[in-house]
Amino acid sequence: MAQSPLVFISRRLPTSCLELLERAGCRLRVHDSEVAPSRHELLEGVAGCDAVITLVSDRVDEEFLDKAGERLRVVANYAVGYDNVDVGACSRRGVLVTNTPDVLTEATADQAFMLILAVARRALEGHRLVASGLWQGWHPLQLLGQDVSGATLGIVGMGRIGAAVARRAGAFGMKVLYHNRSRRPEAERQLDASFRPELPALLEESDIVSLHAPLTTETRHLIDAAALALMRRHAILVNTSRGPLVDEVALLEALREGQIWGAGLDVFEDEPRVTPGLAELDNVLLAPHLGSATERTRREMAGLCARAVIAVLAGELPPNVVDE
Ligand code: GLV
């Protein structure tokens, strides 16, 4: 009898995912930790596997694929973004790559909106003041923020998550601008969003800029010192996409100098490291990459990964295969 397929899972995942795979007859090798495996542990873990479930912090490249060996048929990435995976290298070896779209759209848009509101209304400073016991009572000039209702929101990357943020903006009476590789007429119709083919125009016009583009060679440091210099002095930058879209050192400088008003960051250039100095500022809110972190969303992401693995091992094509 052929040996049952071996699946490597690079982190502790919701148990429902493990149960699905076990019921389908898979053997599991789990890096059962909340901490990322070292490169060595990752490469040891994937050796001889038929399938792997990876996270955004696991680099899937030629070395990884060499180490996994010829049995490998699918890399199920536990994320919608797959910039950690060399998809070309996988396809050259006949290895399918899948991701977890749709199920995390609303949770991530909620997180972006949470950052927008919390930075604009200085939620963290307010909390610290009350919690410190030093609050001396209401006064007219205390912790004044920026209006979100009626503001102009610039969305960079009008994909599923960008569109979900635009829907929320509609309820706040915001004017929505968007910049995207290609024009999205249906977004313009449904979300009353206006296209800005050039990023500088969007940056100059927006009160709040929210990033939702994937990380590619074109989007790395899309928001650099020059881009920040175009933003309004009362503007807020929110990033729930990928850290390297923003030049973090340039952002630190812009925040320190009051070149922009504030920032909400869910992602960082070199996670889990954060550029020294950023955490000390009052006008930033930092979150540890929690965009999709709700119980339901993380369960559904795990279910998508497990079902993709099971489908590929059964010779079927899962719905969420990605290409280059
Ligand atoms: C998380 O960062 C994702 O891409 O889903």
Side-chain angles (χ1 to χ4, degrees):
M1 203 178 89
Q3 223 187 15
S4 49
L6 180 59
V7 183
F8 175 65
I9 303 175
S10 76
R11 213 68 48 85
R12 185 172 301 154
L13 288 188
T15 49
S16 53
C17 166
L18 312 186
E19 286 161 10
L20 266 178
L21 290 164
E22 277 172 341
R23 276 207 300 279
C26 297
R27 286 177 298 139
L28 305 185
R29 185 190 284 164
V30 185
H31 177 75
D32 188 21
S33 168
E34 287 167 13
V35 179
S38 65
R39 184 70 181 166
H40 176 75
E41 287 169 326
L42 181 69
L43 296 180
E44 291 299 302
V46 301
C49 285
D50 298 87
V52 294
I53 298 182
T54 48
L55 269 64
V56 291
S57 45
D58 304 324
R59 192 159 34 82
V60 179
D61 54 9
E62 298 281 4
E63 183 189 31
F64 177 107
L65 296 167
D66 282 343
K67 196 72 189 177
E70 289 185 351
R71 297 183 60 86
L72 186 66
R73 293 170 56 196
V74 56
V75 172
N77 207 42
Y78 187 77
V80 67
Y82 47 90
D83 46 278
N84 58 308
V85 181
D86 184 340
V87 180
C90 290
S91 21
R92 285 193 293 280
R93 298 176 191 231
V95 176
L96 286 178
V97 180
T98 67
N99 68 344
T100 62
D102 301 317
V103 296
L104 48 63
T105 299
E106 302 303 328
T108 309
D110 285 348
Q111 179 78 352
F113 231 86
M114 182 279 288
L115 290 171
I116 290 172
L117 287 167
V119 174
R121 300 306 302 272
R122 306 177 68 170
L124 192 58
E125 289 168 273
H127 171 87
R128 285 193 188 128
L129 179 60
V130 176
S132 71
L134 298 175
W135 183 40
Q136 295 190 324
W138 194 95
H139 83 75
L141 300 179
Q142 189 163 62
L143 290 181
L144 303 185
Q146 301 293 336
D147 284 308
V148 173
S149 298
T152 296
L153 173 66
I155 294 182
V156 179
M158 189 57 108
R160 285 173 280 236
I161 299 170
V165 171
R167 275 202 310 280
R168 285 157 177 74
F172 279 76
M174 299 173 90
K175 174 175 172 190
V176 178
L177 312 177
Y178 78 99
H179 173 73
N180 201 52
R181 254 178 326 184
S182 53
R183 194 162 182 167
R184 299 279 315 276
E186 78 286 4
E188 293 176 28
R189 272 194 309 277
Q190 292 164 7
L191 305 166
D192 199 16
S194 306
F195 185 48
R196 292 292 178 272
E198 305 299 334
L199 181 62
L202 177 137
L203 298 174
E204 282 166 357
E205 287 179 62
S206 299
D207 302 309
I208 296 163
V209 174
S210 192
L211 305 180
H212 302 286
L215 175 61
T216 62
T217 41
E218 289 81 44
T219 61
R220 185 174 294 274
H221 283 194
L222 191 68
I223 304 297
D224 57 8
L228 290 159
L230 295 175
M231 290 175 66
R232 298 176 159 191
R233 287 190 91 80
H234 65 264
I236 293 168
L237 176 71
V238 165
N239 189 7
T240 52
S241 59
R242 284 291 180 269
L245 264 71
V246 178
D247 177 341
E248 221 165 81
V249 172
L251 175 64
L252 173 69
E253 215 36 46
L255 288 163
R256 268 193 184 142
E257 299 300 317
Q259 204 170 33
I260 68 168
W261 196 78
L265 305 177
D266 191 45
V267 287
F268 302 90
E269 267 200 85
D270 183 24
E271 294 176 14
R273 189 189 152 273
V274 175
T275 295
L278 213 45
E280 279 80 66
L281 298 179
D282 278 336
N283 52 347
V284 285
L285 182 55
L286 310 177
H289 204 146
L290 294 177
S292 62
T294 70
E295 293 180 6
R296 180 192 59 78
T297 300
R298 289 284 166 86
R299 253 196 329 272
E300 291 187 5
M301 289 166 67
L304 272 183
C305 287
R307 286 194 295 279
V309 165
I310 293 165
V312 176
L313 295 178
E316 293 157 14
L317 200 60
N320 44 326
V321 173
V322 298
D323 49 34
E324 278 174 277

